[in-house]
Each structure stands twice: as C-alpha cells, then as structure tokens.
Amino acid sequence: CLRLRRALGRDVRIEVWEKARGPGGRMSTNRTEVDGASIRADMGAQYLSLDGSEPDCAEVADLLVREGACADLPEAALARTPERPCGEAWRHLAGAGGGVNDALKTLLEQASVEPHYEKRISSLDQQNGCWRARPFNGAPGIFDAVVLAVPGCGVGGDNLLKIHGGWEGLISAEQNKQLMDAGHDHRWSFALYLPLEFAPACDAFFGPTAVEKVVDDGTLHLLCYQSRKTSQAAGSAPEGGLAIVAHTTLAWAKRNMRASGRDERLLREITEHVIATLGLGSRASRALLGTKVITWKQSQVTHPVPFNPREGPCMVLSANPPLLLAGDYFTESNFGGCLKSGFAAADVLAGILKGDRPAAVAEAANADSKGQSSKGKQRDGGKGKGRESKGWNNSDKEWQHSDYGSDWHASSWGKAESKGGSKGGKGGKGGKKGYAWKPHVGA
C-alpha cells in the first residue's frame, strides 16, 4: 500500500479489506488480559525476516524501527530452522509492543489507507468498466482496480478458491496450471499463557539469551519464548504472565490434518507435551492463564509460482479494469518475499493507472480483447459470459476436506465508484462441473 501511495499520490483512495478484526494474516498476534496487563503471542511468523542488502526491503525495515513498531533481534538469539533465511545481510524484526502485526498497522497508517476489518471478499465481477467486490457481510464496493492479496490455491479456508464471480473467467489455462501447482506445507500453532512463577524453568530451558529452541521430537518442531522476545525488543520485563508459542512438526500436522482447532483432545496433548518438554511440572497445566490454537492449513510456501520476467512476482489477470494477484506464493515465505510481491504488484498497477503499458499489461489486454477460453476456477455455479470454463484442475487434491486456515486479507484499491455487478448461475456452455466446493470454515 505504501508503495502504491507513493506512486499515485494522495488524491487516490485506497481501501484494504481484512477478514480478521485487525491486520495480521500469518503475522497474526493473539492476546490475553491478566490483572490489567496484556500478554501477546505471535501465532504465525515469529519475526519479519528480510534481506537488508536489498534497498527496498531495508527501507521498510528502517521505517518500522524508526516508528517504534519493531526492533532488530540478533540472529544468535534465534534458532536455526530450515524455513528462516540467515546471513549477515538478513534482518529479523520483532514487534516492540509484543506482536509483529504492529508492523502492518504502522505500514497501513503510513500509507493513509481506509482499512475495513472483518470484511472478507466473497465475489468479484466487472461492471461498467470497474470491479464490484461483494463481501460475505456488508455492502459491496466499486473499485477502478483490485489486487487480491489472499493465499493462493490450497486447503486453507480463505484463499483464491473461495472468491467467486466473473473474474474467474479471466484466468488463462497456463495461469490456472501455475496457480494450482503452487504448494504449501501445513502446521499447527499453540500459545500457552503461564503465570510468572514459571519464568525460572523457562529461562533454564532456553538458556540465558535464546528466544527459540528447535525440538523436532515428532510432535513439536519449534518452541518460542515470546515473553523474552518481547522483553528484548522492548527493553522491559514481562508483566502479567508468560507466553510460550509451540509450532508442530509437519508429520504431526499431517496426522491431524482433518481435525479441528477446537479439538480439546489435541489441545491437551500439545499442552502436556510442551509442559513436559519445558520441565514445568504437572501443576503448570492447572495454572494455565489461557491458550490459543491456530491451524495453518496453508503455511510455508514449498513450491512458488514460476517467476515471470515480464510481470515480476505477481500475476496480471486483467488490464482493463486492472486485476492483479500478489502474495508470498509468488516468491518465498518470509516478510521479504511478501514485500517483493507487493512491490511488483504496486509498480505494475501504478503503471496501468498512469497509462503505461509494460509487456505484461499489453499481453493481458490482448488476451482480454480476444475473449480467449480459459480454465479459470468455477464453483457449482458461475455465470458463463462467452468464455468456456472448465473449472480448476484439482482432481488430485483433496480440498474438500479443508478445515480452516490462516487469517489473510483481501486487498482492493480504487478511486472511483459506479454501480452494478453480476451474479452466479449455471456454468457456461461446454463447461465442466468439476469439484463440489464444500469446505468447512472454522474460527
């Protein structure tokens, strides 16, 4: 958003629709209140990792540190995990206020956007040269341009597969294949809130300075000492209680793939396992101040969309009106990867709105004008608009077993309003019904 604001100026209205009660996604932060103190826990990304040798990424990191939203933590205090890049140039930012989602709040404020929380996009259709975005709840919005910054295709409860409407017919056969081939792993995240009396045992487990420890015992992959991390970032001692965050192994997540985050049996299993691993004693389970569980059905990107040198790490689906896709599934699963995709989408979109037509935009416009047939995704309905629709190629995926996933947002940019929109009906002639999309979306 900040990149787009700088390119287009202050006269353009930029809206952000966010499914959750605040900005987060995989940078989601949970909190519990104890005796007037707020204890926070990062449920997804523990740090904002980015390559400081890249000027654009370094500028964002410097901004977040300067604004007091984040602080650099030394790499020596972090655990060596396969998911996190490391090296002299890499920076790892922790939330100075206890949560990495403070960084997103700061960036939205700096970009002067209009955020709309608890507003999740349901469908997207063209009307009168604009995009009509309809949320699951609330009034629709009309936009000159839209960037969908939700997770790609997969088993999560909130991703591209859950957004319907006429936009689906714009996905070419090659784009369809690339989007469907992108892959993610899946994990569970558990936060345990404990009284301060258990700090000596936690200190002994993690050692004098570490804020994480790799376990990899078949159940737990990583234990994170959230309270110490916050203390190091903020320079103050924890108040009210302690927060420990546990990330499960891939094998454990796979064994419990069809389970719900509300499964008390699994919560007890992980709680007892964490308490035993930390050496807290049996009384700790009775002294818990609170817990939180998130099932990340789409977690780390394992196979990104192939890089397109014309577009960069994003995807142009339409040039008129502009519609782009962005996300870490075009790059890599870290904050730097998210920034790179967002930068690319902002640059392409700004070029379109300013009248520039780079190769990627011209190609998208030509495809639109030809009315080519497409393999765009289709639900059990969807209105044929002169394009052949064959549904997502998903015969080898068990998406219908999805439970729920990370709290991502659908972002939409615009500066004008009109009215209208189209509604779903039967599939277009020659179309194929494909999968019946009946996911269970949990809390």
Side-chain angles (χ1 to χ4, degrees):
C1 293
L2 187 57
R3 180 92 157 206
L4 196 62
R5 174 63 72 199
R6 290 176 176 175
L8 299 179
R10 294 290 171 178
D11 294 333
V12 175
R13 180 171 60 87
I14 303 176
E15 288 191 18
V16 173
W17 290 12
E18 165 63 68
K19 167 189 172 182
R21 289 176 292 179
R26 268 177 283 173
M27 288 175 273
S28 174
T29 301
N30 181 250
R31 72 175 66 210
T32 191
E33 304 294 329
V34 179
D35 296 330
S38 179
I39 313 173
R40 301 174 69 184
D42 292 316
M43 300 300 296
Q46 294 298 308
Y47 305 90
L48 306 183
S49 297
L50 45 80
D51 188 348
S53 67
E54 298 183 0
D56 289 339
C57 291
E59 181 184 4
V60 173
D62 291 341
L63 168 66
L64 294 174
V65 172
R66 186 171 62 251
E67 292 295 322
C70 295
D72 285 281
L73 258 63
E75 192 172 279
L78 278 58
R80 289 295 184 94
T81 68
E83 301 84 13
R84 182 185 296 130
C86 59
E88 290 185 3
W90 279 85
R91 299 174 64 176
H92 308 282
L93 307 182
V100 292
N101 69 337
D102 287 343
L104 302 184
K105 298 175 184 177
T106 298
L107 293 176
L108 291 177
E109 291 171 359
Q110 291 287 318
S112 299
V113 304
E114 300 175 27
H116 297 268
Y117 297 115
E118 297 184 280
K119 195 168 186 178
R120 177 184 171 193
I121 187 169
S122 170
S123 64
L124 188 65
D125 295 281
Q126 291 188 41
Q127 184 67 28
N128 296 339
C130 296
W131 287 107
R132 181 178 188 268
R134 183 172 63 85
F136 281 90
N137 296 293
I142 306 298
F143 303 100
D144 290 310
V146 171
V147 175
L148 294 177
V150 302
C153 305
V155 298
D158 184 16
N159 56 35
L160 287 177
L161 296 174
K162 310 303 186 296
I163 304 173
H164 303 297
W167 79 279
E168 298 169 291
L170 298 175
I171 304 171
S172 72
E174 179 59 27
Q175 288 171 329
N176 176 81
K177 182 179 186 303
Q178 292 177 353
L179 292 171
M180 290 304 301
D181 285 347
H184 302 74
D185 64 19
H186 50 280
R187 300 180 188 273
W188 291 48
S189 177
F190 295 79
L192 306 182
Y193 298 100
L194 295 158
L196 288 171
E197 65 184 88
F198 292 99
C202 293
D203 292 344
F205 176 81
F206 286 97
T209 59
V211 295
E212 297 176 321
K213 195 168 185 177
V214 173
V215 180
D216 278 342
D217 61 0
T219 298
L220 300 178
H221 167 54
L222 184 71
L223 283 178
C224 309
Y225 200 174
Q226 173 80 33
S227 301
R228 176 180 282 177
K229 178 179 69 174
T230 300
S231 295
Q232 291 186 6
S236 59
E239 297 181 357
L242 305 173
I244 300 291
V245 178
H247 294 268
T248 67
T249 62
L250 297 178
W252 189 93
K254 185 175 182 180
R255 290 196 303 270
N256 296 282
M257 185 174 182
R258 301 189 184 188
S260 165
R262 297 190 181 96
D263 192 324
E264 292 291 334
R265 175 184 59 84
L266 296 180
L267 175 59
R268 286 194 300 272
E269 175 189 336
I270 295 298
T271 299
E272 293 170 2
H273 197 96
V274 171
I275 288 173
T277 302
L278 293 174
L280 302 183
S282 59
R283 200 182 72 80
S285 60
R286 300 189 299 274
L288 279 173
L289 302 174
T291 60
K292 175 66 176 179
V293 182
I294 289 186
T295 62
W296 297 109
K297 298 293 186 176
Q298 287 176 254
S299 186
Q300 297 283 325
V301 175
T302 58
H303 182 72
V305 172
F307 181 77
N308 185 328
R310 297 187 304 275
E311 301 174 359
C314 66
M315 184 176 286
V316 179
L317 297 184
S318 171
N320 185 27
L323 173 62
L324 291 81
L325 306 182
D328 65 350
Y329 61 99
F330 289 99
T331 52
E332 55 186 350
S333 279
N334 53 57
F335 188 58
C338 296
L339 288 178
K340 291 174 188 176
S341 182
F343 290 158
D347 291 345
V348 172
L349 179 55
I352 297 173
L353 295 177
K354 287 181 174 181
D356 301 332
R357 297 176 67 82
V361 176
E363 185 175 287
N366 290 336
D368 290 345
S369 65
K370 292 177 182 177
Q372 66 181 25
S373 75
S374 155
K375 291 182 181 287
K377 70 184 184 68
Q378 181 185 348
R379 54 179 165 172
D380 280 345
K383 200 166 190 178
K385 286 285 187 180
R387 298 176 186 265
E388 181 183 2
S389 178
K390 294 187 178 179
W392 288 96
N393 295 331
N394 53 7
S395 58
D396 61 336
K397 315 262 187 193
E398 294 186 347
W399 307 137
Q400 80 277 23
H401 295 307
S402 70
D403 183 2
Y404 64 97
S406 54
D407 297 324
W408 280 81
H409 62 275
S411 303
S412 47
W413 285 262
K415 59 177 179 178
E417 294 190 1
S418 65
K419 60 182 180 179
S422 59
K423 296 185 178 180
K426 294 183 179 180
K429 184 177 180 181
K432 172 165 105 172
K433 185 174 182 180
Y435 241 63
W437 300 104
K438 298 179 180 177
H440 167 69
V441 181

